[in-house]
Amino acid sequence: MGKKRVMLPMEDVDLTAVKYEREVIQAPHLTGFALKLFVWVVEAPLIGSLIMSFLKKQNKIVQLLQNTVIPEPPMFKPEYPPQELEPGVLIMEEDSRPVDRVESALKCLPLDDPAYRWDGGSSPSLLYWKIRDYAHAYRSRFVTPLVVAEHIISAMEEFNSKKPSTPLLISFSAEEVRKQAAASTQRFEEGSGDLYVYILIYDKPKDTGCAGNPLSILDGIFMAVKDDIDCYPHPTKGATTWFHEVRSVKKDAVCVSRLRSCGVIFIGKANMHELGLGTTGNNSNYGTTRNPHALERYTGGSSSGPAAIVASGLCSAALGTDGGGSIRIPSSLCGVVGLKTTYGRTDMRGSLCDSGTVEIIGPIASTVEDVMLVYAAMLGSSPANRISLKPSPPCLPNLSTYDSSNDLRSLRLGKYTEWFNDVYSTDISDKCEDILNKLLKTHGCETIEIIIPELHEMRTAHIVSIGSESLSSLNPHCEDGKGAQLTYDTRTNLALFKSFSASDYVAAQCLRWGKILISLNQIFVLGSHCIHDSTIKFFMFKIENSERQIQT
């Protein structure tokens, strides 16, 4: 008696009375033999369930999911209220050709002069080039995709020989890269002779002369693909040692196919946290991808390889997946741009995570404009999601009519101060505060105070949702004996997920509807365009101090 808790309907929550509660995770910190023993125990039929039950009670998960009356109905797939079209955006036609959408996206970009940043010398570095830099160089005959391919192949060999190891790719074929690059180079060199293309420069298009017959501005652009997205002829392993044995790849994922139709060259399958079940990028199967800006530190995960490849300057963009920060976290820690799109905005067919309700495929790039170009090519809901979700038309911001200062001056950044300052080291929050102040002084961005109620409930709903859905897809393989071949941290996660019941999953979906949808809607009604968060704590820890936790 006395255990029952009744939550208020979201519309009755007084945001001014919400008090921030710092979450302290109650869990053992184990390494080496102790970790192996713990995994063996929690996977045992009886004692394992008792240990997980105890840990869930310690972290108030049982109280929330089983002893709480949640007034909202369940939401089994993300639902979004109708939204008015924002000013200054361009509607993208989902049914149009990817090359046509890319052309439309190009016209949304501010005017630029790639030649200003490169003198056309005989030995270009090729590092940190934007997509429009490559486009200008190809069309001006300064360099060819084949030359860039040889540069990337050489760089991959160098990365593979480094000590400590820096494994960016799990699957890589120099022959396949050269084959794609040769086809792209041929398109540039064997045009009709009367086709002229332009790059937007200053206040008018600039003719670059006879430029062959490229498929789009993305032709000859090199990209990596996270190892849970199909990219033929590479196997898809999800950074495990065995997934390619139970699931063959016969064609590209839908998003990869759309990009390939625009001329993108795929260099291989990028490293990741095994099966995406972690946010560090730690992987004892292939080695842990290291942060290019500080090799002793993590990239973040789970899209560790894609973020690191872009941050290293080798590729302008890459594809990742995100169900709980797996694009956004490594992009943040590696200093690049990552986009988690609205759920269902990109087609998930051809990925390992195509049956859940939280995962998306999204772009990672070195700049916002490159994210826009890649996103324009790959966007488009699946037929099933168009019927069930009825998504609003996709759009892109039109940045061509205003300078950057005017664009940014209209932005309002939401800041939940107590959450913002809840970090392992004030170095993190101080640096983020400096950035906010710079945006205010340089561009006139406004920071407004917001409150996000019931963060613990949101986190719990997420872990139950993504965990249950991951377990459902992995169960047949684990029951067939493959589970024992997973890393110890993955097996620990799966043991936790197995402890969730059907009623826990339904309760989590009630929380998703009431607490995530409605509370975030209230935040954006207050006028905040985005939420600024500095609470990424694990960047302070070095790889050498943590890798021992999952080594066999």
Side-chain angles (χ1 to χ4, degrees), residues 476-540:
H477 310 303
C478 291
E479 293 299 319
D480 200 34
K482 297 296 185 181
Q485 299 179 36
L486 297 170
T487 59
Y488 287 111
D489 64 333
T490 300
R491 290 166 64 179
T492 302
N493 283 326
L494 293 180
L496 171 62
F497 301 158
K498 287 179 180 179
S499 71
F500 297 139
S501 66
S503 62
D504 290 339
Y505 185 77
V506 173
Q509 307 321 299
C510 294
L511 290 170
R512 287 178 75 179
W513 173 260
K515 307 310 168 188
I516 297 178
L517 174 63
I518 300 178
S519 64
L520 288 181
N521 186 51
Q522 286 192 18
I523 291 168
F524 290 112
V525 165
L526 291 175
S528 172
H529 292 108
C530 60
I531 300 172
H532 193 90
D533 175 25
S534 64
T535 53
I536 299 178
K537 302 175 177 64
F538 58 76
F539 181 63
M540 300 304 294

Side-chain angles (χ1 to χ4, degrees), residues 272-529:
M272 59 180 286
H273 202 114
E274 187 181 57
L275 294 174
L277 299 179
T279 56
T280 63
N282 206 334
N283 189 311
S284 59
N285 294 327
Y286 301 96
T288 298
T289 300
R290 295 173 178 271
N291 196 311
H293 303 300
L295 293 179
E296 75 279 10
R297 299 193 184 276
Y298 282 118
T299 58
S302 62
S303 303
S304 51
I309 285 174
V310 174
S312 69
L314 292 178
C315 293
S316 298
L319 287 187
T321 57
D322 190 321
S326 287
I327 284 176
R328 293 160 289 170
I329 291 172
S331 296
S332 175
L333 295 188
C334 291
V336 294
V337 182
L339 174 65
K340 180 178 183 183
T341 67
T342 298
Y343 176 82
R345 183 65 77 203
T346 54
D347 197 321
M348 295 296 293
R349 288 177 293 174
S351 67
L352 297 187
C353 43
D354 60 356
S355 58
T357 64
V358 294
E359 292 269 9
I360 62 94
I361 298 175
I364 297 174
S366 55
T367 64
V368 171
E369 72 169 61
D370 286 354
V371 164
M372 290 173 60
L373 292 171
V374 174
Y375 173 59
M378 63 184 288
L379 68 79
S381 304
S382 68
N385 281 337
R386 289 198 199 187
I387 294 172
S388 61
L389 300 178
K390 299 180 175 63
S392 57
C395 60
L396 291 176
N398 188 354
L399 306 179
S400 64
T401 55
Y402 309 95
D403 61 34
S404 59
S405 296
N406 287 332
D407 291 332
L408 292 174
R409 189 174 294 118
S410 65
L411 289 180
R412 290 183 295 275
L413 308 176
K415 178 186 176 186
Y416 188 6
T417 298
E418 291 180 283
W419 187 32
F420 183 92
N421 292 328
D422 184 7
V423 292
Y424 176 82
S425 168
T426 56
D427 289 345
I428 299 173
S429 54
D430 289 346
K431 180 61 68 174
C432 291
E433 191 70 55
D434 290 343
I435 295 172
L436 290 178
N437 291 333
K438 183 174 182 179
L439 287 171
L440 171 63
K441 293 178 181 178
T442 306
H443 301 289
C445 296
E446 179 186 2
T447 299
I448 64 174
E449 185 66 27
I450 62 172
I451 295 174
I452 306 177
E454 298 165 348
L455 284 168
H456 174 64
E457 286 79 357
M458 292 186 186
R459 296 187 187 106
T460 301
H462 172 262
I463 191 64
V464 174
S465 299
I466 194 171
S468 299
E469 292 165 6
S470 298
L471 181 65
S472 176
S473 63
L474 291 172
N475 253 338
H477 310 303
C478 291
E479 293 299 319
D480 200 34
K482 297 296 185 181
Q485 299 179 36
L486 297 170
T487 59
Y488 287 111
D489 64 333
T490 300
R491 290 166 64 179
T492 302
N493 283 326
L494 293 180
L496 171 62
F497 301 158
K498 287 179 180 179
S499 71
F500 297 139
S501 66
S503 62
D504 290 339
Y505 185 77
V506 173
Q509 307 321 299
C510 294
L511 290 170
R512 287 178 75 179
W513 173 260
K515 307 310 168 188
I516 297 178
L517 174 63
I518 300 178
S519 64
L520 288 181
N521 186 51
Q522 286 192 18
I523 291 168
F524 290 112
V525 165
L526 291 175
S528 172
H529 292 108

Side-chain angles (χ1 to χ4, degrees), residues 21-29 55-56 58-61 422 456 459-460 463 496 537:
E21 296 182 9
R22 184 173 186 178
E23 187 173 31
V24 179
I25 304 297
Q26 303 290 336
H29 182 78
L55 289 175
K56 288 193 296 183
Q58 289 289 99
N59 289 281
K60 300 181 181 179
I61 294 177
D422 184 7
H456 174 64
R459 296 187 187 106
T460 301
I463 191 64
L496 171 62
K537 302 175 177 64

Side-chain angles (χ1 to χ4, degrees), residues 119-180:
D119 60 10
S122 57
S123 300
S125 69
L126 302 178
L127 288 177
Y128 300 105
W129 279 17
K130 297 189 302 180
I131 289 172
R132 285 199 281 184
D133 295 331
Y134 281 107
H136 172 76
Y138 292 156
R139 288 157 177 78
S140 302
R141 302 288 197 264
F142 293 146
V143 73
T144 68
L146 266 175
V147 171
V148 179
E150 292 302 326
H151 167 75
I152 291 176
I153 291 169
S154 176
M156 285 300 151
E157 293 173 351
E158 181 180 343
F159 271 102
N160 291 337
S161 63
K162 278 188 174 182
K163 300 296 181 182
S165 62
T166 310
L168 296 175
L169 297 176
I170 288 176
S171 178
F172 172 73
S173 168
E175 179 182 356
E176 178 64 22
V177 173
R178 289 189 178 105
K179 175 182 175 183
Q180 296 176 75

